[in-house]
Amino acid sequence: MISHENQVETKVVTHPEALEATMKVLIGPADGWEGHVMREFILQKGGHTPKHVHPWPHINYILEGEGTLFLNGKKNPVKAGSIAYVPNDELHQFENTGDGPLKFICIVPEEGHK
């Protein structure tokens, strides 16, 4: 499978505690990658994901922008090129603190994508 992010549908993150957040499913089981999903999140200026916890880990790579990742009880700065591993059952949240979009890849096990 070969595609481009511009060909992937953008969906608004509808969680009530998310703000100015969208997501694209780049690769997943429907594309032949059984067991995992690679997503791109885009947080607009001032946007954030909900502060949440879940029973699966995920891997993140920051593509563009700057912000924080709340993890291990504190806000950790992230920017383009940052890499983060969020263990299962850890409270976490991404927040855009920059002037432009914060874009990042998030890879989760299939059960972590809803």
Side-chain angles (χ1 to χ4, degrees):
M1 197 266 320
I2 298 174
S3 188
H4 190 275
E5 70 166 317
N6 293 340
Q7 298 172 319
V8 178
E9 179 184 8
T10 300
K11 296 183 178 183
V12 173
V13 177
T14 58
H15 190 286
E17 295 175 22
L19 178 67
E20 295 292 327
T22 58
M23 178 194 65
K24 297 178 181 187
V25 175
L26 301 177
I27 299 175
D31 306 302
W33 191 21
E34 295 297 324
H36 291 87
V37 180
M38 183 171 81
R39 310 169 303 177
E40 178 187 44
F41 281 86
I42 302 171
L43 305 179
Q44 297 302 323
K45 182 177 179 178
H48 56 79
T49 61
K51 192 176 279 187
H52 64 290
V53 64
H54 42 67
W56 55 84
H58 54 83
I59 299 165
N60 300 100
Y61 179 73
I62 308 301
L63 298 167
E64 179 182 323
E66 56 187 63
T68 60
L69 169 55
F70 180 86
L71 186 64
N72 300 320
K74 65 179 183 172
K75 289 186 176 186
N76 302 278
V78 294
K79 62 182 181 179
S82 294
I83 302 161
Y85 173 73
V86 177
N88 57 308
D89 299 319
E90 287 287 332
L91 184 64
H92 60 283
Q93 177 186 44
F94 281 93
E95 183 177 7
N96 183 346
T97 60
D99 291 326
L102 175 64
K103 295 182 180 184
F104 61 94
I105 297 293
C106 178
I107 299 173
V108 295
E110 189 173 350
E111 67 268 18
H113 176 70
K114 300 177 188 212

